[in-house]
Amino acid sequence: MRELACDVLVIGAGPAGLAAAATAAEGGSRVVVVDENPEAGGQIWRSAMVHGPHPETSALAARALARGARFLTGATVVDAAGANTLFAVDGAGPIMLRAGRLVLALGATERFLPFPGWTLPGVFGVGGLQALAKNGLEIGNRTIAVAGSGPLLLAVAAWLEQHGAHVLGVFEQAPKASVVRFGLGLWRHPRKLAQAVALLRVLRQVPRHHDAWPLRAEGDGYVERVTFSVSGSERTLQVDYLACAFGLAPTTGLGALLGCDIAGGGIVVDALQHTSIPEVLCAGESTGIGGVDCALAEGVVAGHVASGHDDRARAACRRRDRERGFAETLGQAYALRHELRGLPSPETIICRCEDVPWSVVAESDDVRDAKLKTRAGMGPCQGRVCGGALEFLKRWPRDSVRPPLIPITLGELAEVGAALNRTEDQTR
Amino acid sequence: MADAVRILVDGVELSVPGGTTVAVALANAGRLAMHRSVDGEPRGPVCGMGMCFECRASIDGRRDTRSCMVTCVDGMEVITSHA
Ligand SMILES: Cc1cc2nc3c(=O)[nH]c(=O)nc-3n(C[C@H](O)[C@H](O)[C@H](O)COP(=O)(O)OP(=O)(O)OC[C@H]3O[C@@H](n4cnc5c(N)ncnc54)[C@H](O)[C@@H]3O)c2cc1C
Ligand code: FES
């Protein structure tokens, strides 16, 4: 098996991971960064194929590379033998990663809520559609409705308009009053205020609805029509695509696998980004949803600590704390409303991997019960989609994960298994 | 943008711009539905970032591979369960 050793292993090359990597490398550590995407940048700086990497990605990566950091992209961390030995898999097979310290910068995923028709092809996530379009999915002249919740709706709607799509409307579930209050509070964050003003200028021709959410999507083999509830009345639109997501949920899988405490949906960290496991730090949206500036600030703190410079880390905490304040108001403004729990009908599929309907899950007491009765959450996505939905619908904590975190070949499984046994023998 | 690459999808040759992921290559070729669910419903990509597994296909013999996470390379063989 291939092996790679370093002082600091950063998992995730989004803003948080890149900031941690650059900071730790400049602090004198040998750094390796792993990310399962083909390119560094994470979600927000996902490179558009035609434009190449985002300038902020290039700048942070260059700082890390100048101090000898190595980037391993297209590789997914799938298993761990404690915090110092991890296993990743890329197209060429497994790799053993040995590290003194670990920085988890796993980011977040979109939260999808089930409603009748949400499984039709052509119903995407919001960031999901943007990610695919950045990679070349044709959207020119397509009619698209953007729905769900959060500032990402406006950002993506504007981006789609600017790239030739025809956005029919933005349907935000939050009440107008709380969105407006949030907008007014942005004066304290001038960079974000300027972004918001620019977005609204692009969207001035696009109807923006509040107190609005999708009731059902219909079509023959792919989405053709979507009916929304808009301030209490129904409205149906013909669409090519529906982009719909209800905010973000922290990615915690690898943290759970390592045994890190998880609370409120995110990996728990202290003031210096330590998780509950020694040698394991966490930064960015896997600790809680806070936006790019918060992710960067947390990454800097984690990078200092990982390279043994707690003093510098403490100096960097102030900026992070200001950004976390913003994260809190964001969460309040876009809190999901109770009505959304009524969206799935009894036949609506909840677990897409195993086609388990809401009628079965609704009667289950907890995740374990649901798994016993059905195979909910046992498919290839390991509950990444239905777990986020059930966290809201049933208030069930997202279930623990099981290795390997993604399906790998039997050969890889055997290799990783053998290496795991060897490592355990050594530590025993 | 890199030169075009050719991949084989269920035995049919497809030419796409270099750098395209398999999911996007399939969708732009009119194959937005990439696999069938256990009950036979057509399904297509949702998250575009490796989370939902609804874009899964067999790629160069690796089953259940997330096609949104794999960049097309010349000669790649993709088999969907949706043919
Ligand atoms: C789909 C999507 C689109 C978004 N678009 C925008 C936008 O346009 N504008 C905006 O302001 N905000 C956007 N956001 C919010 C955005 O997530 C944050 O602002 C910011 O990217 C958070 O940075 P991060 O470093 O914490 O995480 P991320 O940027 O999410 O980076 C985490 C990285 O970790 C990697 N990773 C996770 N687990 C593993 C593993 N086991 N093995 C290997 N690699 C792993 C992922 O591949 C990912 O690249 C988006 C979020 C999502 C989910
Ligand atoms: S589209 Fe969700 S994993 Fe590929």
Side-chain angles (χ1 to χ4, degrees):
Chain A
M1 191 183 300
R2 289 170 290 166
E3 273 192 49
L4 210 55
C6 58
D7 303 320
V8 176
L9 176 64
V10 180
I11 300 156
L18 287 167
T23 307
E26 287 172 352
S29 297
R30 281 179 311 152
V31 175
V32 170
V33 188
V34 190
D35 196 297
E36 61 176 341
N37 275 289
E39 314 269 352
Q43 300 311 333
I44 182 169
W45 297 336
R46 179 179 294 278
S47 60
M49 208 170 60
V50 278
H51 303 306
H54 191 283
E56 301 210 46
T57 307
S58 308
L60 284 170
R63 278 174 50 196
L65 288 167
R67 297 303 185 95
R70 287 192 57 182
F71 281 76
L72 207 63
T73 52
T76 307
V77 176
V78 294
D79 206 344
N84 304 103
T85 310
L86 279 73
F87 298 93
V89 168
D90 66 8
I95 312 160
M96 187 191 288
L97 302 162
R98 292 187 178 280
R101 285 181 180 173
L102 217 57
V103 179
L104 305 178
L106 312 171
T109 55
E110 293 189 280
R111 191 188 302 279
F112 303 116
L113 296 183
F115 53 88
W118 76 305
T119 54
L120 284 169
V123 178
F124 298 96
V126 174
L129 177 58
Q130 185 187 37
L132 291 161
K134 279 187 173 176
N135 190 248
L137 178 76
E138 285 159 17
I139 53 165
N141 291 319
R142 301 294 198 283
T143 53
I144 303 174
V146 179
S149 196
L152 197 56
L153 266 52
L154 297 182
V156 172
W159 189 91
L160 292 170
E161 276 281 315
Q162 286 172 317
H163 289 80
H166 184 45
V167 177
L168 300 174
V170 178
F171 300 80
E172 165 64 59
Q173 60 87 35
K176 187 164 190 177
S178 64
V179 173
V180 169
R181 207 177 315 123
F182 174 74
L184 294 176
L186 283 183
W187 65 270
R188 269 176 263 134
H189 303 270
R191 181 165 119 148
K192 295 191 171 76
L193 181 62
Q195 285 165 352
V197 169
L199 290 181
L200 294 180
R201 192 170 303 137
V202 176
L203 291 173
R204 64 187 181 276
Q205 310 281 1
V206 174
R208 286 184 293 119
H209 308 282
H210 297 88
D211 290 299
W213 54 87
L215 293 171
R216 57 187 171 275
E218 295 159 301
D220 185 10
Y222 52 91
V223 65
E224 293 170 71
R225 287 177 305 287
V226 185
T227 302
F228 295 92
S229 168
V230 181
S231 304
S233 53
E234 291 197 8
R235 187 170 308 178
T236 301
L237 293 178
Q238 302 287 326
V239 301
D240 292 318
Y241 298 145
L242 169 64
C244 183
F246 293 85
L248 302 174
T251 301
T252 55
L254 186 57
L257 193 70
L258 291 167
C260 300
D261 285 347
I262 292 173
I267 297 173
V268 178
V269 289
D270 70 6
L272 290 182
Q273 307 294 138
H274 294 283
T275 69
S276 60
I277 305 281
E279 321 285 278
V280 182
L281 299 146
C282 183
E285 295 206 310
S286 33
T287 69
I289 303 310
V292 57
D293 297 315
C294 190
L296 284 167
E298 291 191 10
V300 170
V301 173
H304 283 311
V305 174
S307 56
H309 299 289
D310 285 15
D311 48 331
R312 296 184 200 165
R314 276 190 201 93
C317 282
R318 178 125 57 109
R319 184 176 142 222
R320 179 204 58 198
D321 294 342
R322 183 162 30 105
E323 295 301 339
R324 279 196 185 157
F326 169 78
E328 240 163 71
T329 50
L330 181 80
Q332 286 158 6
Y334 293 95
L336 298 182
R337 61 203 301 144
H338 182 65
E339 288 97 318
L340 301 174
R341 296 197 169 90
L343 290 186
S345 70
E347 310 78 52
T348 304
I349 297 297
I350 302 295
C351 167
R352 304 170 68 115
C353 293
E354 300 289 341
D355 279 348
V356 181
W358 177 229
S359 56
V360 177
V361 180
E363 283 164 19
S364 304
D365 303 326
D366 53 31
V367 178
R368 189 167 308 162
D369 184 36
K371 281 189 176 175
L372 284 174
K373 282 190 200 147
T374 64
R375 280 182 46 83
M378 311 277 281
C381 101
Q382 292 204 16
R384 286 177 177 87
V385 175
C386 63
L390 292 170
E391 187 174 38
F392 172 69
L393 293 174
K394 300 278 283 182
R395 299 183 178 86
W396 288 349
R398 267 179 291 150
D399 198 14
S400 58
V401 290
R402 55 178 198 282
L405 293 177
I406 61 164
I408 61 179
T409 66
L410 288 176
E412 288 162 355
L413 210 55
E415 266 193 77
V416 171
L420 269 168
N421 288 337
R422 273 201 304 281
T423 325
E424 271 161 23
D425 287 344
Q426 283 163 15
T427 50
R428 207 169 278 147
Chain B
M1 200 183 293
D3 291 342
V5 297
R6 277 187 292 272
I7 63 170
L8 267 183
V9 180
D10 298 327
V12 180
E13 197 173 278
L14 203 64
S15 176
V16 298
T20 310
T21 58
V22 176
V24 166
L26 290 170
N28 283 347
R31 293 161 153 274
L32 193 54
M34 293 174 192
H35 77 108
R36 292 237 170 223
S37 73
V38 293
D39 288 346
E41 286 182 16
R43 295 283 168 78
V46 181
C47 73
M49 55 165 287
M51 159 209 191
C52 73
F53 282 74
E54 290 284 45
C55 63
R56 62 186 182 266
S58 163
I59 299 179
D60 282 343
R62 289 182 75 101
R63 293 178 47 208
D64 285 346
T65 303
R66 297 167 294 176
S67 65
C68 70
M69 302 296 279
V70 178
T71 306
C72 294
V73 295
D74 247 328
M76 188 176 257
E77 256 189 87
V78 181
I79 297 170
T80 73
S81 70
H82 194 60

